[in-house]
Amino acid sequence: MTVRVLMLIYRNPAMTPEEFQRHYEEIHMPEFLKVAGDTFPLSHTRRYIPRSAKPQDSSAGKEPYPAVVIGGNQADAQIDCVTELIFRDREHMQSYFELPHAPGAAARLEKDAENFAAKYPVMIVEDCRETRAPKL
């Protein structure tokens, strides 16, 4: 049975949202594809949170690139990317998460993540339910 994992990725505050996305896509992901081999997930989907393109007033600790928030509080919108990984099964998932602790290139990937991500909590998602609009 497939296993889904969510990573909530917070951008390194020294980077703009554009720099964060470019680093993730153009540096981290190509290297990760090479290193992960058959541990790479069946799917690795990245969903970037839209943010203002130009820096705003960041005085008093405000986010210089506020997220586009359509409900709720701007202060609660600190995540920059929601990444979903889908694995064949738990064994596949475990082999993937053991990879960054392996010597050599895999350890470099873990170090590279620190260059663009301030933090990235990771959690398994189970019991997924979807409600679709009724057919008319």
Side-chain angles (χ1 to χ4, degrees):
M1 180 164 108
T2 60
V3 177
R4 292 176 186 266
V5 171
L6 288 182
M7 297 174 72
L8 306 177
I9 303 176
Y10 295 73
R11 163 179 46 89
N12 176 332
M15 301 180 101
T16 67
E18 185 179 292
E19 291 167 336
F20 165 79
Q21 185 172 347
R22 187 172 40 249
H23 188 102
Y24 198 176
E25 295 298 326
E26 297 176 12
I27 297 171
H28 192 75
M29 287 308 301
E31 183 66 19
F32 197 77
L33 277 165
K34 283 191 266 182
V35 172
D38 59 358
T39 70
F40 195 82
L42 299 175
S43 171
H44 189 293
T45 305
R46 295 160 305 285
R47 294 177 178 91
Y48 293 95
I49 307 304
R51 294 189 169 276
S52 88
K54 295 183 180 179
Q56 309 295 306
D57 173 22
S58 61
S59 61
K62 292 182 184 174
E63 165 62 53
Y65 299 94
V68 176
V69 175
I70 59 172
N73 186 332
Q74 180 63 241
D76 295 332
Q78 299 304 309
I79 297 166
D80 289 275
C81 182
V82 177
T83 298
E84 181 184 43
L85 307 135
I86 300 175
F87 298 95
R88 285 185 304 276
D89 50 32
R90 284 190 181 268
E91 183 179 312
H92 180 203
M93 179 192 69
Q94 288 170 337
S95 66
Y96 171 84
F97 282 106
E98 288 169 0
L99 183 69
H101 306 290
R108 284 196 317 269
L109 282 174
E110 185 73 8
K111 188 75 175 152
D112 178 58
E114 295 171 8
N115 291 329
F116 71 98
K119 59 182 177 177
Y120 46 97
V122 180
M123 60 220 76
I124 293 175
V125 180
E126 291 182 344
D127 198 16
C128 298
R129 298 167 191 221
E130 179 179 14
T131 303
R132 294 182 178 249
K135 293 183 180 180
L136 300 177

